[in-house]
Amino acid sequence: ADTLGSAAAGKGRYFGTAVAAGHLGESAYTATLNREFTSVTPENEMKWDATEASRNVFTFGAADQVVNHARGRGMAVRGHTLVWHSQLPGWVGGLAAADVRSAMNNHITRVMQHYQGEIHSWDVVNEAFQDGGSGARRSSPFQDKLGDGFIEEAFRTARAADPAAKLCYNDYNTDGVNAKSNAVYAMVRDFKSRGVPIDCVGFQSHFNSASPVPADYQANLQRFADLGVDVQITELDIEGSGTAQANSYASVVRACLAVSRCTGITVWGITDKYSWRSSGTPLLFDANYAAKPAYGAVLSALGGT
Ligand code: G3I
């Protein structure tokens, strides 16, 4: 009769899910959320286009719904995300460099202060590195106008805005040891050596047949932890079904449990019905909220029954 959340708590971890405010009125969705999970990440509601669609006009209604639901039930909240090239309103791209800087710092400060004391970890900067072997930064208004230093500036601003929140860098295709994760690793090592505030690194962990759970997943989590940051699995989903999917999920959980600084796991949605992979079945509950084999595998890997 254990749940994902209670079993994970027995191992000193949280077990979270992405939540969309628009589904909270659906009783099976909310019942599953309330029963199984101890942390939530608003799937879209805290992104820049949702919170500051017009410059310096902040709207928190949908994000507040998710936060209030979670906090009222003792769940933790991951903040996602402050500075990202996607879901970014067009006005940001139209600004000159000095204005991009002030808009970025104002956005971080206002959003973090609105949620002060309610967020255990913030994805301060999301997906700032390119895919492929170059290790280069991805083009964005922040990168293009402010250069590599925008990431450091964002973290310093975030620390000042809410000194109690853990500050994370979050990305995908960084789950194993590869050129992209090497580039992120070099950045985190540099930040730690110079005292730039960073507390955690998020590994999104979106897996499918073309991009399966890497054999060196645990080793990669461990090398980041060894830099002196927590690591978190932040957007886990795994395409597939049946035993193969279940085994992959179990391997992810075992990797996290084997790394003492891996503080929690978040799956990117509750039910296959609402996955961002619209044609796929990557989550732990099927479209009717029945627990899949992957659910049982995760529960037992967490030591639950
Ligand atoms: O809310 C609008 C709605 O008003 C409009 O009618 C409709 C028409 O397209 O779009 C709705 O917005 C959609 C939004 O999800 C809310 O449902 C966007 O089109 C759609 O692009 C957006 O997709 C989100 C995606 O990020 C955007 O980049 C997914 O839900 C969300 O799961 C996904 O999450 C990302 C993480 O933030 C970062 N890492 C990758 C991950 C998966 O892509």
Side-chain angles (χ1 to χ4, degrees), residues 43-44 47 80-81 84 86-87 126-127 170 172 204 206 235 268 276:
E43 187 171 0
N44 290 296
K47 294 171 181 176
H80 176 78
T81 175
W84 188 26
S86 182
Q87 289 173 284
N126 194 44
E127 302 177 6
N170 190 53
Y172 68 93
Q204 294 185 12
H206 293 291
E235 304 182 15
W268 204 240
W276 71 286

Side-chain angles (χ1 to χ4, degrees), residues 156-217:
R156 290 189 186 280
T157 300
R159 181 66 97 223
D162 182 357
K166 300 275 190 201
L167 307 181
C168 305
Y169 177 79
N170 190 53
D171 214 328
Y172 68 93
N173 285 351
T174 50
D175 312 301
V177 177
N178 58 39
K180 189 175 176 183
S181 67
N182 287 345
V184 176
Y185 181 86
M187 179 188 75
V188 174
R189 187 176 52 193
D190 171 55
F191 280 13
K192 293 302 284 186
S193 74
R194 292 189 297 111
V196 179
I198 184 168
D199 306 304
C200 37
V201 177
F203 298 84
Q204 294 185 12
S205 305
H206 293 291
F207 298 124
N208 55 38
S209 55
S211 171
V213 183
D216 53 9
Y217 190 57

Side-chain angles (χ1 to χ4, degrees), residues 4 14-20 23 29 33 37 39-47 66 77-81 84 87 123 126-127 170-172 202-207 232-239 249 252 265-278 280-285:
L4 300 171
Y14 65 85
F15 202 95
T17 179
V19 164
H23 301 318
Y29 182 91
L33 167 63
F37 297 95
S39 173
V40 307
T41 305
E43 187 171 0
N44 290 296
E45 292 79 352
M46 286 182 172
K47 294 171 181 176
V66 177
V77 181
R78 292 196 84 258
H80 176 78
T81 175
W84 188 26
Q87 289 173 284
D123 290 333
N126 194 44
E127 302 177 6
N170 190 53
D171 214 328
Y172 68 93
F203 298 84
Q204 294 185 12
S205 305
H206 293 291
F207 298 124
Q232 300 173 354
I233 295 166
T234 52
E235 304 182 15
L236 177 63
D237 55 13
I238 307 178
E239 267 294 16
Y249 264 104
V252 169
I265 299 172
T266 297
V267 289
W268 204 240
I270 298 170
T271 162
D272 287 339
K273 185 177 174 183
Y274 297 132
S275 169
W276 71 286
R277 298 184 190 273
S278 49
T281 56
L283 295 170
L284 301 178
F285 294 89

Side-chain angles (χ1 to χ4, degrees), residues 34-99:
N34 293 350
R35 188 182 68 236
E36 296 290 341
F37 297 95
T38 52
S39 173
V40 307
T41 305
E43 187 171 0
N44 290 296
E45 292 79 352
M46 286 182 172
K47 294 171 181 176
W48 196 315
D49 62 353
T51 51
E52 193 189 3
S54 302
R55 190 170 185 184
N56 212 27
V57 178
F58 288 86
T59 48
F60 293 114
D64 284 354
Q65 250 187 287
V66 177
V67 171
N68 292 339
H69 182 96
R71 301 291 292 154
R73 289 161 182 80
M75 302 172 188
V77 181
R78 292 196 84 258
H80 176 78
T81 175
L82 295 166
V83 181
W84 188 26
H85 66 278
S86 182
Q87 289 173 284
L88 185 66
W91 63 263
V92 181
L95 301 175
D99 264 6

Side-chain angles (χ1 to χ4, degrees), residues 2-13 257 298-300 302-305:
D2 283 340
T3 62
L4 300 171
S6 65
K11 302 289 188 190
R13 269 76 173 184
L257 294 181
V298 168
L299 187 62
S300 91
L302 290 170
T305 48

